[in-house]
C-alpha cells in the first residue's frame, strides 16, 4: 500500500509540472540566455544535451518546473541550433533581453 501511495504522489507531481503555465516574468523585450549553457531534453543535469546556448540567444519561456525552464529559441542560436528548437535549461541561465535603443 505504501508503494502505491508514493507512486500516486510522484505521478501527481509529474502531471502538475507538465501542465504548469509559463511564468509571467519575461522582460519587456523577451528573454535571452545569460551565458553558455546546455539545452537539455529534460529538466535535470543527467538528461542529454540537444546542443548549447550562448549569451544573447533569444528565448521564449514555455513553462517552468522547479529551477528549470522549458524554452523555445526565437532565432537560430549562435551555436547553430534551429529557431523553434525547444529544450530545458536552468532558470539561472535565463534573463530579460535588453530592448533595442531608439535611434535618433
Amino acid at each position: 500500500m505504501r508503494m502505491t501511495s508514493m507512486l500516486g504522489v510522484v505521478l501527481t507531481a509529474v502531471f502538475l509540472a507538465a501542465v504548469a503555465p509559463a511564468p509571467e516574468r519575461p522582460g519587456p523585450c523577451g528573454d535571452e540566455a545569460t551565458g553558455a549553457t546546455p539545452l537539455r531534453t529534460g529538466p535535470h543535469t543527467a538528461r542529454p544535451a540537444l546542443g548549447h546556448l550562448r549569451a544573447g540567444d533569444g528565448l521564449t519561456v514555455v513553462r517552468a518546473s522547479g529551477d528549470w525552464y522549458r524554452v523555445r529559441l526565437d532565432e537560430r542560436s549562435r551555436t547553430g541550433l534551429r529557431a523553434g528548437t525547444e529544450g530545458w535549461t536552468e532558470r539561472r541561465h535565463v534573463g530579460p533581453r535588453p530592448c533595442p535603443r531608439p535611434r535618433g
Side-chain angles (χ1 to χ4, degrees):
M1 176 93 172
R2 185 172 228 202
M3 187 62 120
T4 305
S5 296
M6 199 160 151
L7 180 61
V9 169
V10 170
L11 290 175
T12 300
V14 168
F15 173 77
L16 290 175
V19 298
E24 299 200 19
R25 55 146 305 282
C29 294
D31 288 311
E32 67 179 15
T34 58
T37 184
L39 184 65
R40 298 188 179 277
T41 59
H44 193 278
T45 56
R47 298 302 304 237
L50 298 166
H52 288 80
L53 302 174
R54 297 283 183 250
D57 285 342
L59 309 169
T60 296
V61 176
V62 177
R63 71 172 173 241
S65 178
D67 290 333
W68 291 81
Y69 282 149
R70 182 168 178 90
V71 298
R72 181 181 314 113
L73 285 169
D74 294 339
E75 65 260 342
R76 187 175 185 89
S77 75
R78 288 171 170 79
T79 60
L81 291 170
R82 289 182 175 180
T85 300
E86 287 193 18
W88 293 85
T89 191
E90 291 179 86
R91 183 183 296 239
R92 64 191 172 107
H93 295 294
V94 177
R97 180 175 227 169
C99 295
R101 290 181 144 169
R103 295 180 187 219

